[in-house]
């Protein structure tokens, strides 16, 4: 029985039912073989306990002393009863070892518990405390309640600590009344009013919408500004409910790095996508084959390919929890494109979008476009002075309005402005675009190079074709300011590109003589039916041995001292002069001056463009002749009575057989004919 009592005593020590000091003293009295070094008197217990709390306040020391006194009195009672439990035959060394180990455990536990009790000021009840026992009176531990739902997830003040049967209790209060006592081991106490963290049972995201000192790294330090996290989307892992009712959310970033605790008053709850942040700007897509999304579950909407390098409106953006910015993008008709990752677009020059380098050469094909100094469309000039000339477009902008705008420079590096790309065309490098002419010309210089291309690889010189008739089929207005013809021989062989200064273009008759088709038509139309020309009698060149052209240029509507009379050439000369033409280039050529048809033929062949036909039917079939053009019918020289004939085509279209001319019967409008056989017809267009 004694041995059984010993083991029961040891069990009581380990379970904390009997203080080990009491058992130790009882063992000391019963078994003298236990070493005096292991005996624990009440005084030694007090000394040991006092040493454990060295440095605490005097009030705390008083609490310790009263607790130890109570323990001592219990120890004395236990000493009397425990002496009967020890078997004298029990091995003294075994008992001594057990007692010493138990003593050490007690002192460690006592010190930790005491420190926690001294620091405890607040306790937080969470959902896991739904079965927590709350005692209204420690005198009856069988009477307790559990927390009501509204008591949970709140922080309470510790207003009192108590110890009953070596169990520590907190008395907790909501500030208005006490809830009751709770076991210290069932709760976590803190020294700060925010209490302990309350875990979240589902994912939540928040955005700081105010810049305020409301960010805590811990509750022992002063709060910092929320500037560093302003409008960022962060995830909540838990929260603290302050005793005063303030809620602090614990936030982490996408890498689960803790940001800190933030006063909920400066936060807005959202989804992982974050909050919409209005910030109108214009963005240009710069990536191909990237996804555009319908929502922040990242449902696919489209690829960026069809929007590549074009500019759209980003009305706002979202700062997603994943750390990326997403624009919400619209076209210029207000149609929503979708949510677009920031790295697929770039912001640029307002609605103009981003600058895109091109370094191309453009030739203006319209004279009616404005050029701007900015994309508020402040006008600088028009393209009128630049028309058909070549300039450098160093880059361009794909504007939100759907148009492309070049940024244009001249060959001296002067910036000319922004211009709609529709005003110009890109051509053959610095040469610009090919511009059709279809003229004939004469090479008037021996000293110009001909080129293979606009890298100016030399092909030959104009010496080989000097003074020859050539075809000028088109030209290039080069960026260097010069015009280059693309030149062919009369038989159609390409000569090369040559500076226009080496060539004299054969213009239309009107341009060669300083008038215009419209002036010729206006004059003749006005006098078509009034007898000014029609009906004038014929007077042949050389009549009376006279070669003075004026004798043969007198219509009956305006006769001079010679009286009315015209030959065929005199009618053409009179009509042209009365339309504003300068006849000097022909008059000075020789006999009969402007009244000699062969002089017109030679002068016009050399200085104006022309076409030849073998018959009147071939001419009419071509449809090339226009009203007012000059027709010259070459005589079949060598035949008896051969002569040439000249007049003005008067058909309303190129196929109508009408001819205004002077014949032996007088001036008339008729079908095309010559009084003598002809070998070919020359068509000399007015333009």
């Amino acid at each position: 029985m004694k041995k059984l009592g010993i083991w029961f005593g040891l069990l009581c020590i380990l379970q904390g039912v009997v203080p080990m000091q009491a058992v130790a003293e009882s063992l000391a009295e019963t078994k003298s073989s236990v070493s005096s070094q292991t005996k624990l008197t009440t005084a030694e217990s007090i000394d040991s306990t006092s040493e454990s709390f060295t440095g605490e306040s005097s009030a705390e020391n008083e609490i310790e002393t009263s607790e130890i006194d109570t323990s001592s009195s219990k120890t004395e009672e236990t000493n009397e009863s425990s002496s009967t439990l020890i078997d004298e035959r029990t091995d003294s060394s075994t008992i001594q070892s057990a007692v010493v180990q138990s003593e050490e455990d007690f002192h460690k536990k006592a010190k930790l518990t005491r420190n926690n009790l001294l620091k405890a000021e607040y306790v937080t009840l969470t959902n896991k405390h739904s079965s927590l026992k709350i005692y209204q009176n420690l005198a009856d531990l069988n009477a307790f309640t559990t927390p009501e739902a509204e008591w949970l997830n709140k922080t309470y003040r510790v207003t009192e600590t108590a110890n009953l049967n070596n169990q520590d209790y907190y008395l907790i209060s909501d500030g208005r009344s006490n809830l009751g006592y709770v076991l210290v081991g069932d709760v976590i106490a803190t020294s700060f009013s925010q209490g302990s963290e309350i875990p979240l049972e589902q994912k939540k995201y928040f955005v700081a919408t105010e810049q305020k000192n409301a960010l805590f790294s811990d509750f022992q330090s002063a709060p910092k500004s929320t500037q560093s996290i302003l409008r960022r989307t962060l995830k909540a892992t838990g929260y603290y409910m302050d005793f005063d009712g303030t809620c602090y959310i614990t936030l982490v970033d996408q890498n689960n790095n803790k940001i800190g605790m933030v006063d909920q008053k400066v936060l807005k709850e959202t989804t992982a996508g974050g909050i919409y942040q209005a910030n109108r700007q214009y963005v240009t897509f710069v990536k191909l084959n990237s996804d555009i999304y319908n929502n922040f579950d990242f449902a696919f909407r489209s690829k960026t390919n069809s929007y590549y390098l074009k500019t759209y409106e980003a009305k706002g953006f979202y700062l997603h929890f994943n750390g990326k910015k997403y624009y919400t993008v619209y076209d210029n008709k207000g149609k929503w494109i979708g949510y677009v990752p920031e790295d697929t677009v770039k912001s640029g020059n307002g609605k103009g979008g981003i600058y895109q380098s091109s370094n191309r050469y453009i030739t203006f094909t319209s004279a009616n476009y404005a050029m701007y100094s900015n994309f508020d469309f402040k006008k600088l000039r028009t393209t009128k002075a630049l028309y058909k000339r070549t300039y450098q477009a160093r880059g361009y902008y794909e504007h939100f309005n759907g148009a492309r705008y070049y940024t244009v420079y001249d060959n001296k590096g002067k910036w000319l402005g922004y211009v709609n790309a529709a005003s110009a065309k890109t051509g053959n490098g610095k040469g610009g675009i090919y511009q059709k002419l279809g003229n004939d010309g004469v090479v008037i210089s021996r000293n110009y190079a001909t080129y293979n291309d606009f890298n100016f690889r030399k092909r030959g010189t104009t010496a080989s074709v000097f003074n020859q008739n050539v075809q000028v089929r088109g030209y290039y207005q080069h960026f260097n300011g010069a015009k280059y013809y693309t030149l062919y021989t009369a038989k159609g062989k390409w000569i090369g590109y040559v500076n226009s200064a080496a060539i004299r273009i054969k213009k239309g008759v009107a341009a060669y003589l300083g008038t215009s088709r419209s002036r010729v038509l206006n004059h003749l139309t006005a006098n078509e039916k009034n007898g000014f020309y029609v009906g004038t009698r014929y007077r042949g060149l050389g009549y009376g041995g006279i070669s003075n052209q004026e004798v043969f240029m007198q219509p009956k509507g305006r006769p001079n001292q010679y009286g009315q009379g015209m030959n065929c050439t005199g009618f053409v000369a009179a009509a042209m002069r009365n339309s504003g033409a300068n006849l000097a280039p022909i008059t000075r050529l020789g006999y009969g001056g402007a009244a000699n048809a062969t002089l017109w033929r030679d002068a016009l062949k050399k200085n104006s463009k022309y076409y030849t036909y073998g018959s009147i039917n071939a001419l009419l079939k071509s449809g090339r002749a226009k009203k007012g053009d000059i027709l010259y019918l070459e005589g079949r020289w060598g035949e008896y009575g051969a002569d040439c004939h000249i007049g003005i085509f008067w058909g309303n279209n190129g196929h109508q057989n009408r001819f205004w001319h002077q014949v032996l019967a007088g001036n008339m409008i008729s079908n095309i004919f010559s009084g003598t056989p002809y070998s070919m017809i020359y068509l000399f267009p007015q333009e």
Side-chain angles (χ1 to χ4, degrees), residues 58-277:
S58 58
E60 293 168 345
N61 288 334
E62 290 175 3
I63 294 172
E64 292 176 12
T65 304
S66 63
E67 290 176 352
I68 293 171
D69 289 344
T70 304
S71 177
S72 297
S73 62
K74 291 179 180 179
T75 301
E76 291 173 359
E77 295 173 3
T78 305
N79 285 343
E80 295 176 1
S81 60
S82 62
S83 59
T84 60
L85 300 176
I86 301 174
D87 190 337
E88 290 180 359
R89 291 173 298 175
T90 301
D91 185 83
S92 61
S93 62
T94 301
I95 297 173
Q96 179 181 5
S97 175
V99 171
V100 170
Q101 183 63 48
S102 297
E103 265 187 57
E104 290 175 355
D105 290 344
F106 168 75
H107 284 296
K108 288 178 182 177
K109 184 176 180 181
K111 183 172 182 179
L112 290 173
T113 302
R114 177 59 57 191
N115 286 340
N116 288 337
L117 290 175
L118 292 173
K119 293 177 182 178
E121 295 184 30
Y122 298 93
V123 166
T124 300
L125 301 186
T126 67
N127 288 334
K128 71 178 183 179
H129 294 116
S130 58
S131 301
L132 179 71
K133 294 179 180 180
I134 302 177
Y135 305 97
Q136 297 300 316
N137 188 342
L138 293 181
D140 183 5
L141 296 183
N142 291 319
F144 60 85
T145 61
T146 56
E148 297 179 17
E150 61 267 25
W151 294 3
L152 298 175
N153 300 323
K154 292 181 181 178
T155 299
Y156 299 90
R157 187 190 295 278
V158 176
T159 60
E160 180 183 316
T161 61
N163 182 285
L164 178 66
N165 296 331
N166 286 328
Q167 294 286 348
D168 292 315
Y169 296 85
Y170 292 135
L171 178 61
I172 58 175
S173 168
D174 63 7
R176 297 184 299 275
S177 60
N178 292 328
L179 269 70
Y181 293 93
V182 296
L183 270 170
V184 169
D186 291 341
V187 295
I188 298 174
T190 65
S191 62
F192 41 85
S193 64
Q194 292 82 3
S196 54
E197 186 175 29
I198 303 167
L200 282 173
E201 297 176 356
Q202 57 186 0
K203 287 183 179 180
K204 288 192 175 185
Y205 301 90
F206 290 87
V207 172
T209 57
E210 294 182 42
Q211 185 174 330
K212 192 174 181 181
N213 289 336
L215 170 61
F216 295 84
S217 56
D218 58 63
F219 291 119
Q220 282 78 33
S221 305
K224 297 178 291 186
S225 172
T226 56
Q227 182 178 6
S228 62
I229 62 168
L230 201 61
R231 300 192 174 278
R232 285 175 56 192
T233 305
L234 300 168
K235 186 171 73 174
T237 57
Y239 65 97
Y240 293 81
M241 186 59 71
D242 197 299
F243 179 68
D244 66 8
T246 303
C247 181
Y248 298 91
I249 309 294
T250 304
L251 299 175
V252 298
D253 66 14
Q254 70 272 20
N255 298 318
N256 213 37
N257 296 317
K258 185 175 179 180
I259 302 299
M261 291 76 72
V262 182
D263 190 335
Q264 190 179 20
K265 290 191 290 293
V266 303
L267 298 176
K268 183 175 181 178
E269 187 171 355
T270 181
T271 63
I275 63 171
Y276 172 73
Q277 302 185 49

Side-chain angles (χ1 to χ4, degrees), residues 557-569:
R558 188 185 296 166
N560 59 12
Q561 69 269 27
Y562 304 109
Q564 65 165 297
M566 298 184 293
N567 68 347
C568 63
T569 315

Side-chain angles (χ1 to χ4, degrees), residues 301-321:
R301 184 177 179 86
S302 65
K303 290 287 186 182
T304 58
N305 298 18
S306 60
Y307 309 107
Y308 183 60
L309 296 181
K310 296 178 182 178
T311 301
Y312 296 85
E313 181 181 15
K315 292 186 176 180
F317 63 89
Y318 294 81
L319 294 178
H320 197 280
F321 175 64

Side-chain angles (χ1 to χ4, degrees), residues 359-365 389-393 406 421 424-435 454 475-479 497:
N359 196 31
R360 67 184 67 190
Y361 295 89
I362 60 171
T363 303
F364 284 97
T365 55
R389 298 177 184 273
T390 302
Y391 296 87
Q392 184 183 24
Y406 291 129
K425 289 184 178 179
T426 304
N428 188 357
K430 292 184 178 182
I433 65 169
Y434 173 74
Q435 302 185 54
F454 289 117
Y475 70 95
Y476 295 84
Q477 193 67 54
H478 198 279
F479 179 60
Y497 299 118

Side-chain angles (χ1 to χ4, degrees), residues 25-40:
E25 290 175 6
S26 176
L27 290 173
E29 292 175 0
T30 306
K31 192 72 175 176
S32 58
S33 62
V34 176
S35 173
S36 61
Q37 294 178 356
T38 63
K39 290 182 181 179
L40 292 176

Side-chain angles (χ1 to χ4, degrees), residues 371-386:
M371 301 189 75
Y372 305 103
S373 61
N374 54 42
F375 288 120
D376 292 327
F377 296 113
K378 183 179 179 181
K379 189 174 178 180
L380 278 175
R381 57 177 61 84
T382 69
T383 58
K384 184 176 182 180
L386 314 180

